[in-house]
Structure formats: structure tokens, C-alpha cells
Amino acid sequence: MNAIEVENLSKRFKGLFALRSISFDVKKGECFALIGPNGAGKSTMIKILTTLIRPTNGRARVMGYDLKERKMVRKQLGLVSENTIFYDQLTAMENLVFFAGLYHISKHAAKIRAERLLKLVEMWKWRNQPLKTFSTGMKQRINIIRALMHSPNIIFMDEPTLALDPQTSLIVKNVIKHIRDKGVTILFTTHIMELVEDIANRIAIMNSGEIVANGSLKELESHFEDDEKIVTLEFENESLATLGYENFKKMKKIKNVKKKIKSVKISSTSKDVVMEIMDEISRTKLPIKSFNTSKPSLEEMFVRLTGREPQEKNKGNS
């Protein structure tokens, strides 16, 4: 059974399309990543699927319920939005019990669930502290488990690790893995490609309101590996890397060269690119520390398909 089914869905704001005839599905128990540059329509899609806004055209179903059945759809889901949802004056425990009560969960049952979830995100010792005293990362941990209090079948997460410190980002990632392994369906957006590669079963790449690629990481790689090769060269220091960068970008068959401090990454569709690079290294007697070939990374596929780098979200529609 599919947990989410989207068919020819469009959304127009004042004559401008945020989404254009999008179709995709998310299988039950799947962790599905929706990625794309700012303004691609990711947040708009989540708002539609969580019944916060209505589509202009098309249809969608969540756990078998049409979006028009708003009450039934909302019972199925938990939402972790880009803005935290709680009351700053209340403690962590009081917030969780309150939101559980909105789903008719008794106070006693809510406290038991809250204890388990607070321990999951390493926040148990702060359970009686008001939210107004919490850091951004601490608030986001509470925001995530608030969405889990009623044991939803589907969790929607819009940028769950945005602006978080590394420790909190790791905790959030582990929580996502935990609920995924429990069979909860997850649809999330992010600009962190490493997070997508680590936890997503399938990925949809969006650009300008359309899905330009959809599939598992291996399926996406298969579209690129036959016609593009990635070569990464590591150098002893930055000056040698700069020299290598200047040399390689002059080669006619090399399509793209990027430098990162002590390394140079080269992409090419030439079948003989590896030999050509080796010949150039031999000809210039350029000393290298290591030489590796690989498939395009998700970030490289993202740039190829959208023409833009992944980025932290700014204000505005995403």
C-alpha cells in the first residue's frame, strides 16, 4: 500500500505556479526525501499534503484518504514544520501533554509517551524547564517529539536540521532513523545531501515546481554513471592544488573542474578522461597525493539537474 499518492498536483499563487502537475507516491514505511533549491516548491507540497493549503488542480491521498477528508488525513500525520510549534511559558513535559490532549490522549498515557520520547532525544533531565529557556537545538528536539506524541502513521519534516549544531543534528538524524525503523512513513525536505544519502529510501529532486528526478540513490546514479566520470585528486598543499586546477581546466575534454583547498574534482563525459588526466600529470610532473575515480555524488546530481548548489534555506517559498 502507498502511504502517499500524488497525481497531477498543481498550485498557483496569484497567477504564478509553485507546483506544476506533479505526480509521485511514497510507499508505506518508506523514508522519502524531497530535495531542491529554494523556491522549488518543497514546502508548498508539504503544506498541501498536511491540508494546510489546498491545491489548485490535481489530487492526492494520504493513507488512503483524499485531502478533502481533512480530519481523517490530519489524524494520520505528524508535522515538524520549519517553525517550532509550542508554548514558551510551559515546560517541555507540559507542552507534550497538552498537544497529546488535542488527540484525546489521557494525561497519564501522555506522560508515559513523553518520558520515552524525551529520553530518545536526550532531553529527559530538562523535562520540567520552560521552553523559553531552551536553545534552538533543544527546542527543535521537543518540536520533533511533539509531532510523535499521538503515534502518527506518517511524519512530515520540513528542514528538521536547519541551523542546528552538529550534536543536535546527529540526535535528530538518529531519531529519524529510529522512527523509520519502527515502520513510520517519513517525508522530509533538507539541503543537507549527506543526510539524504544516509537515511532516505527514495529521493525526488524538485526544480521550479516540477520533479526532475525520482528514485533510489542507486537508480539516480544509474542515469549518470554511464556518461560521466568523476576524478578527485588530492595534493600536498593548496598551492599545488591551485596549479593542478589551472592546468586541468585548460583541457578540452574536461567539462567541469572544481577546487577545494587541497583537492581538485574533475568531471568529464570522455571515455578516456582517466588516461588523459594521467598523461597531463606525467607531462607537467605535477606531484599528487592520491587519485580516485567515483560515481557522481547526490550533490553533483543535484547541481546537474537543477543548475544550482544545495543551500541553507532563506526566507520565502521553498
Side-chain angles (χ1 to χ4, degrees), residues 226-270:
D226 292 335
D227 63 353
E228 185 166 354
K229 295 178 176 60
I230 307 295
V231 178
T232 303
L233 302 167
E234 295 284 344
F235 295 85
E236 291 289 347
N237 55 56
E238 188 172 357
S239 61
L240 286 174
T242 300
L243 179 60
Y245 170 78
E246 295 297 333
N247 286 346
F248 294 124
K249 74 177 184 179
K250 295 175 184 176
M251 294 174 63
K252 293 181 180 178
K253 293 184 179 180
I254 288 180
K255 154 172 124 166
N256 193 16
V257 184
K258 289 185 178 180
K259 176 183 171 295
K260 287 187 178 179
I261 308 177
K262 296 182 182 181
S263 68
V264 173
K265 184 169 287 189
I266 300 166
S267 62
S268 174
T269 55
S270 170

Side-chain angles (χ1 to χ4, degrees), residues 214-225:
N214 185 2
S216 67
L217 184 58
K218 287 187 177 180
E219 288 170 339
L220 295 180
E221 288 173 346
S222 69
H223 294 301
F224 292 87
E225 61 185 3

Side-chain angles (χ1 to χ4, degrees), residues 9 11 22 49 69 76 97 115 122 131 137 219 230 232 236:
L9 200 69
K11 180 62 180 178
I22 285 184
L49 292 176
E69 302 174 86
Q76 308 301 314
V97 170
E115 178 177 354
E122 301 178 21
L131 267 290
E219 288 170 339
I230 307 295
T232 303
E236 291 289 347

Side-chain angles (χ1 to χ4, degrees), residues 13 24 29 125 209 217 279:
F13 294 101
F24 69 94
K125 66 181 178 180
L217 184 58
D279 288 343

Side-chain angles (χ1 to χ4, degrees), residues 81-274:
S81 68
E82 56 187 299
N83 298 314
T84 51
I85 303 173
F86 40 63
Y87 293 97
D88 271 348
Q89 302 299 320
L90 300 182
T91 67
M93 178 63 79
E94 287 169 341
N95 266 282
L96 295 175
V97 170
F98 170 78
F99 282 104
L102 299 179
Y103 291 90
H104 308 292
I105 298 170
S106 71
K107 189 174 181 179
H108 175 71
K111 285 187 174 182
I112 293 174
R113 293 186 190 185
E115 178 177 354
R116 175 175 56 83
L117 291 170
L118 284 165
K119 288 178 178 178
L120 179 65
V121 297
E122 301 178 21
M123 288 290 294
W124 176 243
K125 66 181 178 180
W126 290 287
R127 62 190 180 278
N128 294 321
Q129 297 298 315
L131 267 290
K132 65 182 180 181
T133 66
F134 286 6
S135 67
T136 299
M138 294 168 74
K139 287 181 178 180
Q140 182 64 334
R141 294 189 222 178
I142 302 301
N143 193 38
I144 288 172
I145 62 174
R146 171 202 53 76
L148 297 171
M149 283 294 292
H150 60 293
S151 302
N153 291 312
I154 302 178
I155 290 287
F156 291 90
M157 296 184 170
D158 195 2
E159 296 283 1
T161 60
L162 181 66
L164 298 184
D165 61 88
Q167 179 188 7
T168 304
S169 293
L170 179 61
I171 290 172
V172 169
K173 182 176 75 171
N174 289 336
V175 170
I176 297 174
K177 284 183 175 180
H178 175 81
I179 60 178
R180 177 198 63 187
D181 295 343
K182 293 289 186 181
V184 177
T185 304
I186 303 166
L187 187 150
F188 73 102
T189 74
T190 184
H191 288 297
I192 310 301
M193 297 298 102
E194 293 84 357
L195 179 64
V196 177
E197 291 174 324
D198 192 25
I199 68 175
N201 301 113
R202 280 197 301 146
I203 305 156
I205 301 177
M206 294 186 66
N207 194 35
S208 301
E210 299 178 330
I211 290 180
V212 295
N214 185 2
S216 67
L217 184 58
K218 287 187 177 180
E219 288 170 339
L220 295 180
E221 288 173 346
S222 69
H223 294 301
F224 292 87
E225 61 185 3
D226 292 335
D227 63 353
E228 185 166 354
K229 295 178 176 60
I230 307 295
V231 178
T232 303
L233 302 167
E234 295 284 344
F235 295 85
E236 291 289 347
N237 55 56
E238 188 172 357
S239 61
L240 286 174
T242 300
L243 179 60
Y245 170 78
E246 295 297 333
N247 286 346
F248 294 124
K249 74 177 184 179
K250 295 175 184 176
M251 294 174 63
K252 293 181 180 178
K253 293 184 179 180
I254 288 180
K255 154 172 124 166
N256 193 16
V257 184
K258 289 185 178 180
K259 176 183 171 295
K260 287 187 178 179
I261 308 177
K262 296 182 182 181
S263 68
V264 173
K265 184 169 287 189
I266 300 166
S267 62
S268 174
T269 55
S270 170
K271 293 181 179 179
D272 303 318
V273 64
V274 174

Side-chain angles (χ1 to χ4, degrees), residues 38-39 42-43 81-83 158-159 162 189 191 311-318:
N38 291 340
K42 306 182 300 298
S43 294
S81 68
E82 56 187 299
N83 298 314
D158 195 2
E159 296 283 1
L162 181 66
T189 74
H191 288 297
Q311 60 218 320
E312 288 292 322
K313 181 162 41 172
N314 300 314
K315 291 182 180 179
N317 175 47
S318 65

